[in-house]
Amino acid sequence: MCNFHITRAVWRIFKNLSVKKMDDAAFYLLCGVALFSNVSIALTNIFLVPLTLVFGLRLYKKRDDWRRALPGGWMNISLGVLLAVLLVVSLFSPEMLRSMWIVLDDFGYRMLGMYAVLLFVRERRRLAVIALCALISYTVNNIVLIGQGVFLGNLRAAGFSFYMIVGSMLSMVTPVLLILLLSGRIAPPYHSVVMGAFAVSLPAIYYNGTRGAWIAIAVTLLVTCGILIRRKKKFYIAVFCSGITVLGLCMVSPYLSDRIASIGDMKMQSNTERICLWTSAFHMFEDHPLTGVGRGRFRSEYRDHYILPEAKEGALPHAHNNLIQMLAECGLFGALALIFFWGSFVVHGLRLWLRRRNPMGLVLLAVMMGFVLHGMTEYNMGHTNVVKFFGLLLGLCLAWIRADDEKECCV
């Protein structure tokens, strides 16, 4: 009801605005979305709902601008293929309309940040302001998280959120901050801000205690920094020093050493429960290999038909893995379409770095790797604020790359 009243009020305000004023309004709404993205879903939606309406009005007023809202190239194709496949697969779901609605919500409304940034924002200054708002939100939540760990002794701290959600945020942003610092492409006024945010991220990673995020961050940093740093001797020394530091921390912190050791402990309940979930999800895939059990139907199918006798929790809503969840709910077609979608962004980022040495290619790669790798042990596609933040980061990366391309064309 609240969203309805907000939508009606915004319609009255914006329906007669010029395109220029709509672009300005969308910029401020995007700043609001970014500023609360890590702090509150409700506050984020206060800005996201009117942004959705302005987005629709903007496309209505300039119908030929819809291509600007899309990522471009093979990424466009992969997005179209993913949506088409998931909508067709939904036709075979016992709850067809619900499955279709979830697909459109997942890759439409929740990813609006990407489409809106690409449609409304072209100036680097505005992109930097939106990115700064997102960084403030991320850092504020990390500071609160660290406070919970230090003063309350909470070793699964989450700030204003849920610890697995924060794990995804850390997985996406921490490698990006280090890439920006190492690339030397940050303007002086922002360098200290990025440095401070990165420094705050490190204790936040510890006190958050999400093992899947630790793995995602470590792998993403190894890959992206290994590509970025040309003098490999320096890279190997940095990796060695980092390993010694972690080893030293394990010696003084039994909690850290126990958490790291538990990653491969098959007697630990969270690990065994994931194995049960993945086994049951694979059974769903075996029974429905092409189209799955239906988008959004994992919980009911798992509870009623596929839960294993040794599983301890029977009402789990997801498979703790993005790809396995997609295999179970949308079959082989859906899983392959999702891999194609992810892969198109990864290839675009790598190609941009290899051809032009543009660090934004590695930033795009790091965002995608952080999201996907943490999604190997957590269904972060099911967390609305993670997907909204993920879409916003992708939009900022792609819009900045586009601004670089336009600058090169003008030279």
Side-chain angles (χ1 to χ4, degrees):
M1 183 62 71
C2 178
N3 286 348
F4 171 75
H5 289 305
I6 293 173
T7 303
R8 187 170 64 176
V10 172
W11 170 264
R12 290 174 179 173
I13 293 170
F14 290 115
K15 66 179 180 179
N16 295 319
L17 289 183
S18 66
V19 169
K20 174 66 169 62
K21 289 183 177 179
M22 280 188 180
D23 290 353
D24 292 340
F27 164 68
Y28 292 114
L29 290 170
L30 278 165
C31 288
V33 170
L35 194 59
F36 294 102
S37 56
N38 284 249
V39 175
S40 168
I41 297 176
L43 291 174
T44 302
N45 286 340
I46 288 175
F47 296 92
L48 192 62
V49 170
L51 178 63
T52 306
L53 183 56
V54 175
F55 183 83
L57 287 170
R58 175 69 167 74
L59 288 180
Y60 177 77
K61 284 208 168 189
K62 288 198 71 175
R63 296 174 182 81
D64 57 338
D65 266 5
W66 62 270
R67 290 182 181 85
R68 279 181 52 188
L70 296 174
W74 279 99
M75 294 176 290
N76 275 359
I77 296 172
S78 68
L79 176 61
V81 168
L82 178 63
L83 285 171
V85 168
L86 294 185
L87 289 173
V88 170
V89 163
S90 296
L91 297 174
F92 300 90
S93 170
E95 300 175 272
M96 180 182 72
L97 294 179
R98 178 170 175 265
S99 293
M100 286 184 168
W101 176 257
I102 291 173
V103 169
L104 295 175
D105 183 47
D106 285 346
F107 299 99
Y109 177 69
R110 293 185 180 186
M111 293 286 288
L112 183 69
M114 179 177 73
Y115 309 128
V117 170
L118 288 170
L119 178 64
F120 290 114
V121 188
R122 301 191 83 92
E123 301 92 343
R124 287 186 178 184
R125 182 187 63 81
R126 288 193 165 187
L127 291 171
V129 171
I130 296 170
L132 182 61
C133 289
L135 191 58
I136 290 170
S137 178
Y138 167 81
T139 304
V140 166
N141 191 71
N142 283 346
I143 291 171
V144 174
L145 184 160
I146 294 167
Q148 292 170 345
V150 172
F151 298 108
L152 302 179
N154 185 354
L155 295 176
R156 297 307 307 276
F160 299 105
S161 189
F162 172 58
Y163 56 83
M164 292 302 253
I165 290 173
V166 175
S168 284
M169 304 299 196
L170 290 166
S171 298
M172 291 186 286
V173 178
T174 306
V176 166
L177 297 176
L178 187 57
I179 290 168
L180 292 175
L181 290 170
L182 293 175
S183 69
R185 289 279 298 270
I186 310 174
Y190 298 105
H191 191 275
S192 57
V193 176
V194 175
M195 178 72 78
F198 180 71
V200 170
S201 296
L202 299 179
I205 291 168
Y206 172 80
Y207 285 112
N208 177 246
T210 302
R211 296 167 299 166
W214 294 353
I215 296 172
I217 292 168
V219 174
T220 303
L221 284 174
L222 281 172
V223 172
T224 54
C225 292
I227 295 172
L228 176 65
I229 299 173
R230 297 185 183 182
R231 296 182 179 179
K232 298 307 177 187
K233 185 177 180 180
K234 288 186 176 181
F235 172 69
Y236 297 140
I237 292 172
V239 171
F240 177 76
C241 292
S242 299
I244 293 297
T245 302
V246 172
L247 183 61
L249 289 172
C250 287
M251 293 175 68
V252 299
S253 172
Y255 164 75
L256 180 61
S257 60
D258 289 345
R259 287 293 288 173
I260 292 176
S262 70
I263 291 174
D265 185 1
M266 289 299 104
K267 295 181 180 179
M268 188 173 181
Q269 183 181 344
S270 63
N271 292 347
T272 57
E273 204 68 33
R274 278 178 170 81
I275 298 298
C276 289
L277 280 166
W278 296 343
T279 303
S280 296
F282 190 75
H283 290 164
M284 293 183 202
F285 166 66
E286 287 180 319
D287 291 345
H288 308 83
L290 298 181
T291 59
V293 298
R295 192 78 173 118
R297 287 182 50 80
F298 183 90
R299 182 201 293 266
S300 59
E301 292 290 333
Y302 179 70
R303 181 191 61 220
D304 298 338
H305 304 294
Y306 289 96
I307 185 170
L308 298 179
E310 58 268 29
K312 305 295 184 184
E313 300 179 47
L316 292 173
H318 56 76
H320 272 290
N321 183 296
N322 291 332
L323 192 57
I324 293 177
Q325 180 92 8
M326 191 63 75
L327 269 175
E329 290 189 338
C330 300
L332 185 62
F333 291 150
L336 290 176
L338 184 64
I339 292 171
F340 180 36
F341 176 68
W342 289 340
S344 67
F345 284 82
V346 169
V347 170
H348 184 71
L350 282 172
R351 184 179 297 166
L352 188 68
W353 169 256
L354 293 173
R355 290 183 176 179
R356 286 186 262 169
R357 289 295 187 265
N358 188 335
M360 289 307 299
L362 294 182
V363 170
L364 179 62
L365 175 63
V367 171
M368 185 59 69
M369 283 187 66
F371 180 82
V372 171
L373 290 175
H374 188 229
M376 294 294 103
T377 53
E378 169 64 12
Y379 180 53
N380 53 11
M381 280 174 55
H383 295 307
T384 177
N385 39 354
V386 172
V387 179
K388 288 173 183 175
F389 192 61
F390 173 61
L392 181 67
L393 293 179
L394 290 182
L396 290 170
C397 290
L398 295 171
W400 197 281
I401 291 167
R402 181 176 63 189
D404 285 345
D405 291 342
E406 290 173 354
K407 182 180 178 181
E408 288 179 7
C409 290
C410 294
V411 174

